Structure formats: C-alpha cells, structure tokens
Amino acid sequence: MSKLAIKGGTPDFEAQYLSNSTPSLCWPVYTGEDENAILSVLRGRKMSGTDITKQFEKAYAEYVGAEHVLGYCSGTASLHAAMWACGVGAGDEVIAPSLTYWATCTAALSLGATLNFADIDPETLCLDPDDIEHRICDRTRAIIVVHYMGHPADMDAIMAIARKHNVKVIEDASHSHGSLYKGRMTGAIGDIAGQSMMTGKSFALGEAGVVITNNRNLYERCISYGHYERTGVANNFNSSERYITDPELVKFAGIPMGGRKDRMNQWCSALGMVQLKYFAERVRGIEEAMQYLADEMDKLPGLKVHRPAKESGLTKGAWYSPTCHYAPEELDGLPVSKFIEAMQAENMPIFSLGNFPLHQHTVFHEADLFNQGQPTALAFGQRDVRQGKGALPVSEITPSRTFRYSRFTKLDKPLIDRYVGCMKKVIDNRGELLK
Ligand SMILES: *Cc1c(COP(=O)(O)O)cnc(C)c1O
C-alpha cells in the first residue's frame, strides 16, 4: 500500500491533473460554434436587444416542457421576481431550505417578508415535506424548493401541502439543469421557477437566469416587475406585441412596477441557443460516467453517493457539483475535514459542501433594509420566526457528513478507476490519519 501524500508519500495525481485540462472533466464545453454566436451579437451590436433572447426563451421552454420562459440577468433576479409574482410582500412569510446558496431566498427580505426555514431530508438533502406544514400560517405566501445539487425534491408531497393551504411553490432549479422528476423536467413542476445560468452552473451562459412557469398570470407579473420593454402598451418598444393581457397589469405598462431592469444580455441568449443544441447529449455522457463512478464509490466503507434510486424516475441531470454522503462512524470516527485534507494532498479536487445553513446568519436576524430601526425580519410581521442554533438539526449536521467531488463528462473508466483507487487508499490508511 503506497504512503499517503499527507504523510510524505508521492501524490497519486500530478498537481492540476484533475482539472478542466483533462478532456473527460472539462466543463462547460464550448466550441467555435459558441464563439461565433457571441461574435455575431457583438458585430450586430445587439447586446441590449430582445430578439435573440426571445428565440432562446422559446427553445428553452420547449426543452423544459413549460409554457413560458423569461430571460433574466441573473438567477438571483429571477428568484426575486418569482417571489414578487407569487404575491410575497411586507409581513409575509416564505418557507425555504436553510442549507442552500443565499440567493434561493434572501430577496424575500427586500420585499419586506421574512424566512421560516424548514429542515431537509438527510438522504435527498432537499426540503423535508414533514417539516413544512406546521410552519404555514395565514401570512405564508410561498414554499421555495431547491433541487439540491441536482437531486429532485419530493415534489408530489410538497405540491399537495401547498395546494391544501393555497400557497405557491417556487422551484429554485439553479442546480438541476436536466434533472427529471418522474419524467418531468425540474423547473416546470411548481407554480413558477427561478434558475441560474451563471458560469459555475451546469448550463453556463455567464451571468444569466430564467423564470419558468406554466401560469400565464405569474409570467405577466414577472414582465411587469422587471421587463419594461415588454409591457406592451404605453411605450414605443413592443406596441404590437401583447405580452401582457391582464387588465390589472396593463394599466401599469411602460414602466416596470419593480423599478427594475432584469433582462438577459443577448451574448448569453446567443450562447444559450448553441448550448441547448448539445445539452441533452452532454447530460447523457455525464449520467453514464457519474453512475459508473457512484457505483464504484458506494463499494467503499463510509461513502454513499447522493443520488436518487435507479428505478425512481428521478435523475440528477448534469450532476451539478457531485456530492457524497460520508459516515465518520463507519470510518473509525475520521472527520470529513481530515478525509478532505488527505484527498487534497493527493491532488484530488475534493471539497467540503460549500453551503452552510442560512438560518443562523445575521442577515436573517438583524438586517434592517427599510431603515426602521429594527430588523426587517420583524418589522412588518406578526410573529418572530427567527431561528437559532439547534433549530434545524439535519441542515446543521450535513456539512460534517458530506463532501463534493469531480464531475466526469465521459465514461473514462481507467481514469475513474484511478480516482476511486485514490479514495480507497486514503480510507484504507485512515489509521495513519487518526494517529
Ligand atoms: C447560483 C445560485 C443562485 C443564484 O444565481 P445567480 O445567477 O448567481 O444569481 C440561486 N440559487 C442557487 C441554489 C444557486 O446555486
């Protein structure tokens, strides 16, 4: 058994070997076709228009199987608009997972609402349907669902709770490009979805995002909030195109109600058209490679890859930031931080989860966005739902029971076997690490 690099042995991999320079790990994939699409926008001086964005929206709506897609300058902006469209306002409450990126839910504060965070399921790492209902009150407007690291959330159970209480479901599909829930594309299942397409995401266009919905009214509300040029009447931009038909919204046409300008830069839209052409095929390559890798990793003690059961009808799409469950009790108590440290010494790109529970962050306890001399989380509401340490046990313990690893885009068995072999070496030598 070769010596661990962290104990002075030679690393299993050369520095930087397992990076984007290795073809079976390279992501996102861009070719000359992508470059030409961007150049044509530049040469046509069309960066700020909407004609290419509208083509992209149509193509993307077809891909996800939804009626309406609206382009945004970021995923954060799309989620903000989705919340407003669902009626989230001052004094309201929004239920969301705590273990996620802040943009899932933080914009609720700027609408004067507060967060009531729910715990997650320890296997799926998505909202636990059993921790939602007791949090709903007459001020609850929306449940935000994150398909965490591409794993679809339990949508049937969550939709049933939401329907029963007349609360909207907003999907944050920023991790789940290409992920299927019982044959349907995530993002097209709830009332509305916000989705990021920034460079780090699986469908990577730069700084961009979309709203996805089958609900015409929510779509029109999003347009009136931040897409001034499509409000349809009372301006010179789109007078012949009736994007807004709802008379309540038409009377505000011409100026976005949210005072926002949220549209997508057309460099991103043009890139999106090209990326979309190849995305399904690339997702198939990722799925094949990652399932093989997961089967191999699951043979090792203490590890269990975060993925849906094979016959479930659920998939992880493009496997955003692959994540593995880690059970220290099966590894003589070796903390995940020590495991990660030893793997990194072998030049393996293995990292901690990266997200930490939001419910303990001061923004949700103290931030005073409206200069009222009191936290926004309290300013308009009828009750204090701020949560402290211990409130959400699964969310709080998960960072110490998970790690993230590489996404292979092609089934490169020799390299994947070496990759797993390195994990095995560290696990077999755990006695050395515990000394
Ligand atoms: C990246 C991300 C966002 C925000 O998207 P941006 O495009 O960066 O604004 C929202 N939610 C989740 C879960 C994300 O990972």
Side-chain angles (χ1 to χ4, degrees):
M1 207 153 52
S2 63
K3 198 172 176 187
L4 294 177
I6 202 165
K7 296 287 178 188
T10 311
D12 264 22
F13 291 95
E14 281 172 39
Q16 303 303 312
Y17 180 73
L18 295 173
S19 70
N20 258 359
S21 52
T22 300
S24 55
L25 288 167
C26 179
W27 192 268
V29 179
Y30 298 128
T31 68
E33 196 177 343
D34 298 278
E35 294 172 6
N36 286 336
I38 294 170
L39 277 175
S40 72
V41 176
L42 180 73
R43 290 178 179 145
R45 292 161 176 79
K46 286 185 158 189
M47 291 79 84
S48 291
T50 53
D51 54 332
I52 306 163
T53 298
K54 287 170 189 167
Q55 287 172 36
F56 171 65
E57 288 166 350
K58 197 161 169 284
Y60 200 73
E62 235 161 71
Y63 171 67
V64 296
E67 298 262 318
H68 310 288
V69 165
L70 189 60
Y72 278 82
C73 55
S74 71
T76 304
S78 71
L79 286 156
H80 184 154
M83 280 186 244
W84 183 80
C86 288
V88 175
D92 291 335
E93 290 183 19
V94 172
I95 294 172
S98 173
L99 193 68
T100 179
Y101 186 64
W102 59 262
T104 294
C105 60
T106 307
L109 291 177
S110 66
L111 296 167
T114 191
L115 271 304
N116 191 336
F117 291 106
D119 216 344
I120 51 172
D121 176 276
E123 293 294 321
T124 67
L125 305 181
C126 301
L127 270 190
D128 177 356
D130 292 333
D131 195 44
I132 293 174
E133 208 162 3
H134 66 99
R135 300 179 187 280
I136 295 177
C137 72
D138 61 350
R139 297 307 300 263
T140 307
R141 290 287 169 270
I143 301 168
I144 307 183
V145 176
V146 180
H147 304 293
Y148 197 63
M149 303 306 193
H151 193 308
D154 188 351
M155 289 305 287
D156 286 345
I158 294 166
M159 291 304 291
I161 295 166
R163 290 292 174 259
K164 180 174 159 197
H165 295 277
N166 194 25
V167 167
K168 292 275 192 288
V169 171
I170 301 173
E171 295 176 81
D172 179 350
S174 299
H175 291 180
S176 64
H177 304 87
S179 295
L180 296 171
Y181 177 81
K182 302 185 181 175
R184 294 165 72 190
M185 199 65 85
T186 54
I189 302 167
D191 292 288
I192 190 167
Q195 183 173 58
S196 172
M197 294 173 172
M198 57 79 74
T199 310
K201 298 291 155 50
S202 296
F203 191 82
L205 308 184
E207 293 294 346
V210 287
V211 146
I212 304 165
T213 183
N214 288 306
N215 181 318
R216 179 78 204 181
N217 180 254
L218 295 181
Y219 171 67
E220 293 194 9
R221 282 177 65 81
C222 285
I223 289 172
S224 31
Y225 192 59
H227 287 67
Y228 74 94
E229 79 289 354
R230 299 195 209 188
T231 51
V233 291
N235 71 43
N236 300 320
F237 294 93
N238 274 315
S239 48
S240 60
E241 286 178 271
R242 298 277 296 206
Y243 280 87
I244 296 194
T245 52
D246 181 335
E248 268 311 297
L249 297 171
V250 162
K251 69 183 185 206
F252 296 108
I255 295 181
M257 267 190 268
R260 296 170 63 89
K261 185 167 176 256
D262 282 345
R263 71 185 175 201
M264 190 183 271
N265 177 325
Q266 295 212 109
W267 278 328
C268 298
S269 322
L271 180 57
M273 293 291 287
V274 180
Q275 285 289 306
L276 195 52
K277 266 168 66 181
Y278 304 101
F279 192 62
E281 175 192 325
R282 288 172 184 163
V283 164
R284 278 194 291 278
I286 292 170
E287 173 72 7
E288 192 189 12
M290 295 309 289
Q291 291 290 3
Y292 174 77
L293 170 56
D295 289 344
E296 294 303 305
M297 283 170 65
D298 278 0
K299 291 175 188 163
L300 301 176
L303 307 192
K304 186 168 180 287
V305 166
H306 172 242
R307 58 172 166 167
K310 281 183 184 155
E311 318 69 35
S312 61
L314 277 57
T315 75
K316 287 215 343 170
W319 284 70
Y320 176 73
S321 206
T323 298
C324 188
H325 293 291
Y326 178 94
E329 63 277 9
E330 290 173 30
L331 297 167
D332 308 318
L334 182 73
V336 75
S337 55
K338 289 235 156 159
F339 172 79
I340 291 170
E341 219 183 315
M343 297 297 323
Q344 288 180 348
E346 307 290 344
N347 290 320
M348 290 274 282
I350 286 188
F351 306 98
S352 63
L353 196 61
N355 293 137
F356 296 91
L358 299 172
H359 67 276
Q360 289 173 258
H361 196 284
T362 46
V363 160
F364 301 99
H365 288 254
E366 293 172 24
D368 175 10
L369 271 77
F370 295 84
N371 297 315
Q372 292 185 305
Q374 59 175 324
T376 298
L378 291 182
F380 308 102
Q382 293 154 343
R383 57 176 188 169
D384 186 355
V385 291
R386 294 178 299 172
Q387 294 148 295
K389 197 170 165 57
L392 303 172
V394 182
S395 303
E396 290 172 35
I397 204 172
T398 294
S400 65
R401 300 185 61 83
T402 43
F403 65 88
R404 293 179 301 138
Y405 60 100
S406 304
R407 165 166 50 196
F408 287 82
T409 58
K410 293 188 185 71
L411 184 56
D412 180 348
K413 279 190 188 175
L415 183 58
I416 293 175
D417 290 344
R418 259 185 82 194
Y419 190 88
V420 179
C422 185
M423 288 186 183
K424 183 173 182 329
K425 171 174 124 176
V426 169
I427 285 172
D428 288 349
N429 282 290
R430 61 186 178 278
E432 287 291 305
L433 295 170
L434 285 161
K435 265 186 208 154

